[in-house]
């Protein structure tokens, strides 16, 4: 799809025309080579005057997308055609972005955000645009699975968009006719990358894109210079943090999330912060074992992500994931499933624990915590988690052979540098996790053995740990 691009100078004119108020700041090139950012133009000390105010109607939110659709029949047709997909902020905003990027004058109606969208980068270097070689480098990291899953999800969304709009005359002509060089999967990946790397979580609004403020780069901790918020009129304001002072040419940074791990930063924003010395957290997927007789039923009723998260708790590594607690119990423990017929004739799978029906979305950890065999369940869970961490470490180690064989690997390429950093941070975290979990396993075994003997010697023969 051919795309027009708006220059930085034209963007300044657009901001002034649309009443974006900048007080002592502007958009310009940063001094550290990070491209465009929010730059101070004056000396500014701690006060309550916003550095920037963006009018509410310019906030690209779910509500505003549908407001714009009232005067744009093309946008409205697509939003309605895709059904429930456009009822979420992400779905509606992605379609809005696509419509603006495809705006040619023949289709679509110009609005205040049309030129803003044209100013957004042509290239967003997220993992969904990495080369095959760069994807191979990520093998063994939690990012590889996340990236593969994302690409499959985007492919399904693009297929849904095409199937939903192919019967609309102008969509068929301008988007899906191969002779007109219409939309491609790369175009859909592009709008996803734009949204993912720029969306802010606004109070009372939710996820949205905010022109001009979304030009601010990331810095965590004490390096964060400014905060964003929503005022009483729905305008989005950029406010200097208390105790901060700006001098001309200083960069005004915000935080994209101090708690976000290395994988999430690279996945959503395309970089790992220079000051990050640990992975902070990572997610490992996990499936129900093939030999589990309740495998299909468990997968059917699971409401949490199939896996678990490793995260830092002080100096130690801990884990969480309700899916693990569902996987580690079986029929002999009290878990059961029944297929019941509803009053309208359909069948519904119900979940039972010790013959009492429980909601399918129950937090299994809370349920098991009150059982006399809680120590047993804890040991099963930590053993399962440790085994999965070991498996991931083996995958990371095996993939090093591929890296060695890449004679032409250019470590000066930014993506390659960031992947290698992620590999080191995640390996460090998983090695620490494995060692700490091993200590917990060894400490728990005698306690579990004694607990079973005292409470249920018959269950000892059935319990595998």
């Amino acid at each position: 799809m051919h795309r027009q691009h708006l220059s930085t100078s034209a963007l300044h004119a657009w901001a002034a025309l649309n009443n974006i108020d900048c007080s002592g700041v502007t958009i310009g090139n940063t001094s550290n080579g990070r491209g465009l950012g929010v730059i101070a133009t004056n000396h500014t000390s701690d006060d309550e005057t916003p550095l920037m105010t963006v009018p509410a109607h310019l906030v690209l939110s779910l509500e505003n997308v549908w407001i714009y659709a009232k005067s744009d029949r093309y946008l409205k047709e697509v939003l309605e055609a895709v059904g429930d997909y456009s009822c979420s902020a992400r779905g509606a905003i992605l379609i809005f972005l696509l419509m603006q990027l495809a705006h040619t004058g023949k289709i679509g109606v110009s609005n205040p955000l049309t030129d803003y969208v044209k100013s957004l980068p042509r290239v967003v270097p997220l993992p969904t645009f990495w080369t095959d070689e760069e994807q191979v480098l990520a093998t063994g990291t939690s990012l590889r699975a996340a990236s593969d899953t994302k690409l499959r999800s985007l492919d399904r969304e693009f297929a849904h968009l095409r199937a939903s709009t192919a019967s609309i005359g102008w969509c068929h002509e301008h988007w899906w006719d191969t002779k007109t060089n219409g939309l491609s999967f790369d175009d859909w990946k592009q709008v996803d990358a734009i949204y993912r790397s720029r969306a802010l979580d606004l109070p009372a609004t939710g996820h949205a894109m905010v022109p001009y403020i979304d030009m601010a780069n990331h810095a965590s901790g004490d390096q964060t210079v400014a905060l964003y918020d929503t005022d009483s009129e729905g305008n989005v304001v950029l406010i200097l943090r208390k105790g901060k002072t700006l001098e001309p040419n200083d960069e005004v940074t915000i935080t994209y999330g101090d708690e976000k791990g290395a994988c999430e930063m690279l996945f959503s924003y395309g970089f790992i912060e220079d000051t990050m010395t640990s992975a902070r957290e990572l997610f490992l997927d996990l499936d129900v074992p093939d030999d589990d007789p309740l495998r299909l039923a468990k997968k059917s009723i699971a409401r949490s992500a199939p896996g678990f998260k490793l995260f830092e708790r002080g100096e130690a590594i801990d884990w969480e994931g309700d899916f693990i607690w569902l996987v580690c119990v079986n029929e002999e423990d009290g878990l059961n499933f029944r297929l019941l017929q509803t009053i309208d004739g359909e069948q519904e799978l119900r979940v039972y624990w010790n013959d009492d029906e429980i909601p399918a979305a129950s937090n299994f950890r809370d349920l098991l915590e009150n059982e006399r065999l809680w120590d047993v369940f804890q040991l099963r869970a930590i053993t399962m988690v440790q085994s999965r961490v070991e498996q991931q470490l083996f995958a990371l180690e095996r993939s090093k052979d591929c890296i060695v064989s890449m004679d032409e690997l250019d470590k000066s390429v930014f993506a390659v540098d960031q992947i290698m950093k992620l590999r080191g941070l995640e390996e460090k975290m998983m090695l620490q996790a494995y060692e700490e979990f091993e200590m917990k396993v060894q400490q728990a075994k005698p306690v579990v053995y004694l607990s079973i003997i005292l409470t249920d010697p018959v269950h000892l023969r059935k319990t595998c740990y």
Side-chain angles (χ1 to χ4, degrees), residues 18-38:
N18 286 280
N19 299 315
I20 293 179
D21 182 27
C22 293
S23 178
V25 296
T26 188
I27 303 300
N29 290 311
T30 61
S31 59
N32 55 10
R34 294 203 291 181
L36 293 177
V38 179

Side-chain angles (χ1 to χ4, degrees), residues 219-364:
S220 63
D222 191 55
Q223 298 302 308
T224 304
V225 175
L227 306 172
Y228 56 85
D229 203 350
T230 307
D231 67 16
S232 58
E233 298 178 354
N235 306 315
V236 182
V237 293
L238 188 66
I239 304 170
L240 190 67
R241 287 181 67 187
K242 290 183 178 180
K244 294 292 184 181
T245 299
L246 289 173
E247 300 296 339
N249 298 318
D250 284 351
E251 183 178 4
V252 181
T253 56
I254 61 175
T255 177
Y256 297 170
D258 283 15
E259 75 290 346
K260 291 179 179 177
C263 177
E264 185 175 359
M265 289 298 296
L266 192 51
F267 178 79
S268 296
Y269 305 107
F271 69 92
I272 299 172
E273 195 172 5
D274 292 338
T275 58
M276 188 175 288
T277 58
S278 72
R280 290 184 187 163
E281 64 179 33
L282 63 90
F283 182 85
L284 295 180
D285 61 328
L286 182 76
D287 201 359
V288 182
D290 291 337
D291 59 356
D292 188 332
L294 300 179
R295 182 174 189 271
L296 294 180
K298 287 180 178 180
K299 289 170 71 78
S300 176
I301 64 101
R303 297 294 181 269
S304 54
F308 59 92
K309 181 173 73 173
L310 295 178
F311 63 96
E312 295 177 340
R313 190 187 294 276
E315 298 297 321
I317 305 297
D318 207 344
W319 70 275
E320 63 181 13
D322 195 50
F323 186 76
I324 299 295
W325 302 106
L326 172 62
V327 175
C328 76
V329 292
N330 276 298
E331 194 170 4
E332 63 266 23
D333 303 309
L335 180 65
N336 201 358
F337 298 91
R338 298 174 192 171
L339 200 58
L340 302 181
Q341 188 165 318
T342 61
I343 56 175
D344 56 4
E346 296 186 0
Q347 290 186 321
E348 185 176 276
L349 189 64
R350 303 287 182 87
V351 191
Y352 291 82
W353 179 255
N354 291 329
D355 294 326
D356 293 324
E357 185 176 355
I358 60 173
S362 293
N363 185 318
F364 271 80

Side-chain angles (χ1 to χ4, degrees), residues 367-411:
L367 194 70
L368 300 179
E369 208 169 10
N370 298 317
E371 295 295 320
R372 70 179 189 279
L373 292 176
W374 169 236
D375 289 335
V376 175
F377 301 142
Q378 281 185 294
L379 180 54
R380 289 183 192 169
I382 192 66
T383 301
M384 192 176 297
V385 168
Q386 184 195 28
S387 176
R388 180 64 183 88
V389 170
E390 182 181 36
Q391 180 187 21
Q392 192 73 14
L393 281 168
F394 280 145
L396 193 61
E397 183 64 28
R398 286 195 302 269
S399 67
K400 291 179 181 178
D401 294 336
C402 296
I403 296 176
V404 173
S405 65
M406 290 183 181
D407 297 330
E408 299 181 1
L409 181 63
D410 186 357
K411 294 185 179 180

Side-chain angles (χ1 to χ4, degrees), residues 2-19:
H2 175 70
R3 176 184 168 187
Q4 295 178 315
H5 194 264
L6 197 68
S7 67
T8 305
S9 59
L11 179 62
H12 291 317
W14 172 85
L17 181 65
N18 286 280
N19 299 315

Side-chain angles (χ1 to χ4, degrees), residues 33-53:
R34 294 203 291 181
L36 293 177
V38 179
I39 308 298
T41 57
N42 301 325
H43 169 84
T44 306
S45 57
D46 184 13
D47 61 39
E48 296 182 358
T49 303
L51 299 172
M52 192 182 295
T53 302

